[in-house]
Structures are given as structure tokens and as C-alpha cells.
């Protein structure tokens, strides 16, 4: 192998630099939120010049948008029980190690309107999918409650850390939530009375 073939190409170097910058940005946005994060702090954490961050990403807003890109979990179709278990499996995984991109959005959405808009836009398809799987007249409310529980648990465990939820095992949390999730995904028996 020649010395020149061992060196990364310019394109590879750029990609490596972008990935370092994005990793640093995710971490800092997760720790500080959007408003308190600076381009200079991200550049320092990534070991690059602030001008390079601006060259690659153009603005703090565009850097944030790239740093928080996270694909949503797909919910399987099937019975209400299968949907509840899929949600619980996803929650268990997120309790073990929530991606810093998600944490960056959760922390930032409370103080930054753009971050809140991104959060809503990213969550809307899954919320709609969840609503469609619940065969109850109040499916929208049930799906919204499930979403609120999941996001509240994630925020408390990884960001706020005010209660015992931060130290509980993922299995213990999921086991306690299981009856609630199954109840919310299952349509109530019809009583013959109009709603």
C-alpha cells in the first residue's frame, strides 16, 4: 500500500469533519438546548475552527436541523396488544440509551419555536399511525396520551433526573407502564350508550 493511498481523500476528510461537528453539536444541544449553544462551542468540541462549521452548515439553525435528524420508529400493524408491546419495546430501548439527537430536540423545544416545530413535524406521522391503530372513538386522545407518557418519561429520565425514574431499570418502568399502554390501545367495550 502506498503512502498516498492510505491518506483519506478530500471528500472523506470533509465527511469525517462533518460527522465530528454533528456529534459535538448533538451533545452540546442536548446539554444546553438551542438558545445556549454557540457555533464557537460546537467548533471547539469538534476540534475545528468556527469558520469551518459555518462553511459546512451555513448557520446555527441549519446545523441544528442536521444534528437532530432521527428516524421515527415504525409501529407494526396488528392487534392493540401488539401495538402496545411495540411501543413498550421502543420505550425500553430509549430508556437504555436515548440518542443525543432526540435529547437535543427535547431540551431545545421548550425554549425555541423552530425546535418545537421540528419536534411536532417529526412526531406527527407516528402519532397519526398510532391513532389509526386504536379502534376507539377517542383514538386521537388515547394516542396523544401515549405520546405524552413516552416523552415525559424520556425527558425525566435523561434530562431532568429529578425522581427515581432516572435510576429505575428499563424493565421495571416498562412493566409498570404495560397495563396503562394496553388499556390506552384497546377500545373500551361498547355499553350501548352513544358517546
Amino acid at each position: 500500500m502506498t503512502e498516498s493511498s492510505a491518506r483519506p481523500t478530500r471528500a472523506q476528510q470533509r465527511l469525517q469533519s462533518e460527522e465530528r461537528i454533528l456529534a459535538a453539536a448533538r451533545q452540546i444541544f442536548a446539554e444546553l438546548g438551542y438558545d445556549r449553544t454557540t457555533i464557537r462551542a460546537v467548533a471547539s468540541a469538534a476540534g475545528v475552527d468556527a469558520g469551518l462549521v459555518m462553511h459546512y452548515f451555513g448557520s446555527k439553525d441549519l446545523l441544528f436541523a442536521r444534528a437532530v435528524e432521527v428516524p421515527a420508529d415504525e409501529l407494526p400493524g396488528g392487534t392493540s396488544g401488539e401495538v402496545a408491546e411495540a411501543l413498550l419495546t421502543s420505550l425500553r430501548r430509549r430508556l437504555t440509551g436515548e440518542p443525543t439527537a432526540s435529547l437535543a430536540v427535547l431540551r431545545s423545544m421548550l425554549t425555541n419555536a423552530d425546535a418545537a416545530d421540528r419536534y411536532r413535524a417529526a412526531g406527527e406521522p407516528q402519532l397519526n399511525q398510532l391513532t389509526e391503530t386504536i379502534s376507539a372513538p377517542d383514538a386521537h386522545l388515547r394516542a396523544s396520551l401515549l405520546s405524552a407518557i413516552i416523552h415525559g418519561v424520556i425527558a425525566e429520565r435523561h434530562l431532568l433526573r429529578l425522581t427515581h425514574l432516572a435510576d429505575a431499570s428499563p424493565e421495571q418502568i416498562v412493566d409498570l407502564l404495560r397495563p396503562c399502554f394496553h388499556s390506552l390501545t384497546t377500545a373500551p367495550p361498547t355499553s350501548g350508550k352513544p358517546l
Side-chain angles (χ1 to χ4, degrees), residues 116-134:
D117 289 343
R118 275 191 189 83
Y119 176 78
R120 278 190 289 277
E124 190 174 0
Q126 188 175 31
L127 188 61
N128 290 339
Q129 184 184 6
L130 180 56
T131 300
E132 290 172 12
T133 66
I134 299 172

Side-chain angles (χ1 to χ4, degrees), residues 67-80:
V68 300
E69 289 174 351
V70 133
D73 289 338
E74 284 294 316
L75 286 177
T79 67
S80 59

Side-chain angles (χ1 to χ4, degrees), residues 161-179:
R161 302 187 61 81
L162 298 173
T163 67
H164 295 291
L165 188 60
D167 301 318
S169 74
E171 291 73 25
Q172 186 180 12
I173 295 167
V174 166
D175 286 346
L176 288 170
L177 286 173
R178 182 169 277 112

Side-chain angles (χ1 to χ4, degrees), residues 24-152:
R26 285 183 196 104
Q27 191 62 45
I28 294 172
F29 282 126
E31 290 172 8
L32 302 177
Y34 181 88
D35 291 336
R36 292 178 42 214
T37 296
T38 65
I39 294 292
R40 186 163 292 166
V42 170
S44 176
V48 300
D49 184 79
L52 188 62
V53 176
M54 293 302 289
H55 175 72
Y56 286 165
F57 298 97
S59 69
K60 179 175 152 179
D61 187 53
L62 293 174
L63 173 64
F64 181 76
R66 283 278 310 279
V68 300
E69 289 174 351
V70 133
D73 289 338
E74 284 294 316
L75 286 177
T79 67
S80 59
E82 290 168 338
V83 171
E85 288 302 319
L87 289 171
L88 290 166
T89 298
S90 173
L91 177 60
R92 180 183 295 112
R93 187 175 55 254
R94 294 174 74 184
L95 290 169
T96 302
E98 178 70 358
T100 53
S102 297
L103 295 177
V105 174
L106 282 172
R107 184 172 301 278
S108 299
M109 69 179 208
L110 300 176
T111 59
N112 182 273
D114 289 338
D117 289 343
R118 275 191 189 83
Y119 176 78
R120 278 190 289 277
E124 190 174 0
Q126 188 175 31
L127 188 61
N128 290 339
Q129 184 184 6
L130 180 56
T131 300
E132 290 172 12
T133 66
I134 299 172
S135 58
D138 58 353
H140 288 287
L141 178 58
R142 288 168 178 260
S144 296
L145 284 168
L146 286 162
S147 177
I149 292 167
I150 291 167
H151 292 106

